[in-house]
Amino acid sequence: MPHMKKVSVGHPLIRLQSVDSTNAYATRLLQKSKVNEGTVILAEYQTMGKGQVGNRWVSEAGSNLLFSLILRPDFLLAERQFYISMCVSSAIVDFLLPFSNDVFTKWPNDILLNRKKVAGILIENSIMHKNLHTSVVGIGLNVNQSEFPPGVPNPTSLSLVTGRQFNLSASRKLLLKSLTLHLNKLYGQRFGEIKTLYLNNLHGMNEWAMYTDSTRTFEGRIVDVADTGELIVVHRTGSTRQYGFREIESTPIY
Ligand code: BTN
């Protein structure tokens, strides 16, 4: 295999007290200078934290882990970019498992602890020709926050679930280590293993449940995820369908 480089997540580590968004900062950094692969930008507070689908990510100052990781996965076909998501989800799940056995990924990449959202992932890629060029992996993990504003859907934190306070830098080190481990599976092009690990932690995998797509509510069962990240669902009627982001919703578990 020609591409067997490795990544060491958090080397270097750039710490900021306050920033608009660590993802935005990482993107600016990529535009104006040479940046080491593995660079992490960590902030205590974000004034304009970005969530998925144009949402905001609001997080109390100094309570949680907010950071972005810079990668250059130039060996990865653009159509396989979801493998980055899968690695990152598995890394966060592995980090959380010592604290609870109720840890799942909700497709595509929300991390649930005791059925509530404890972490969000926002990955922003640039593509060159058919491959990935740069990837900014933004992670927001609720650690010590105990109260959330009313508008936030179904949030929780490590401390709410375990009843104790966590040392943020110790938690950060463990999480970065888990990210290094899982992302090096990607750099080793171990695609099958990455998907298996992701599916092992996927909420609803192989379980009959109610889903709603653009036309109706039906009983279905998640059986796989395509390389593109689309969800593969078998309907009770026997047919199999593939769904893109926001084309299917599970009947709320919260
Ligand atoms: C989601 O909506 O679930 C994704 C949330 C991602 C939030 C993190 S916090 C650190 C990084 N910087 C951002 O502006 N967003 C991501």
Side-chain angles (χ1 to χ4, degrees), residues 19 39 74 81 91 96 99 101 108 114 122-123 128 146 150 159-160 162 165 176 179 186 192 216 235 237-238 241 254:
V19 68
T39 299
D74 49 9
Q81 53 191 282
L96 291 167
F99 308 108
N101 44 28
N114 293 7
L122 178 68
I123 302 182
M128 203 182 258
S146 59
S159 93
L160 275 177
T162 60
Q165 290 290 107
L176 297 187
L179 283 163
L186 181 67
R216 65 213 158 107
H235 289 226
T237 54
R241 301 257 170 95
Y254 42 83

Side-chain angles (χ1 to χ4, degrees), residues 21-23 46 49-52 57 66-67 117 120-121 138-140:
S21 143
T22 57
N23 267 39
Q46 296 183 124
K50 293 197 277 183
Q52 288 157 25
W57 184 262
L66 304 167
F67 62 90
K117 181 162 170 172
I121 303 167
I139 298 173

Side-chain angles (χ1 to χ4, degrees), residues 116-182:
K116 294 180 172 193
K117 181 162 170 172
V118 69
I121 303 167
L122 178 68
I123 302 182
E124 297 180 285
N125 293 326
S126 73
I127 290 160
M128 203 182 258
H129 307 297
K130 289 188 167 216
N131 282 23
L132 274 256
H133 178 51
T134 61
S135 180
V136 171
V137 177
I139 298 173
L141 172 71
N142 298 332
V143 181
N144 288 325
Q145 186 162 345
S146 59
E147 281 173 36
F148 292 88
V152 182
N154 196 41
T156 195
S157 68
L158 251 183
S159 93
L160 275 177
V161 165
T162 60
R164 63 181 183 95
Q165 290 290 107
F166 287 79
N167 178 308
L168 271 188
S169 70
S171 304
R172 183 198 75 228
K173 282 178 193 148
L174 287 173
L175 180 54
L176 297 187
K177 205 169 159 195
S178 184
L179 283 163
T180 298
L181 185 87
H182 283 272

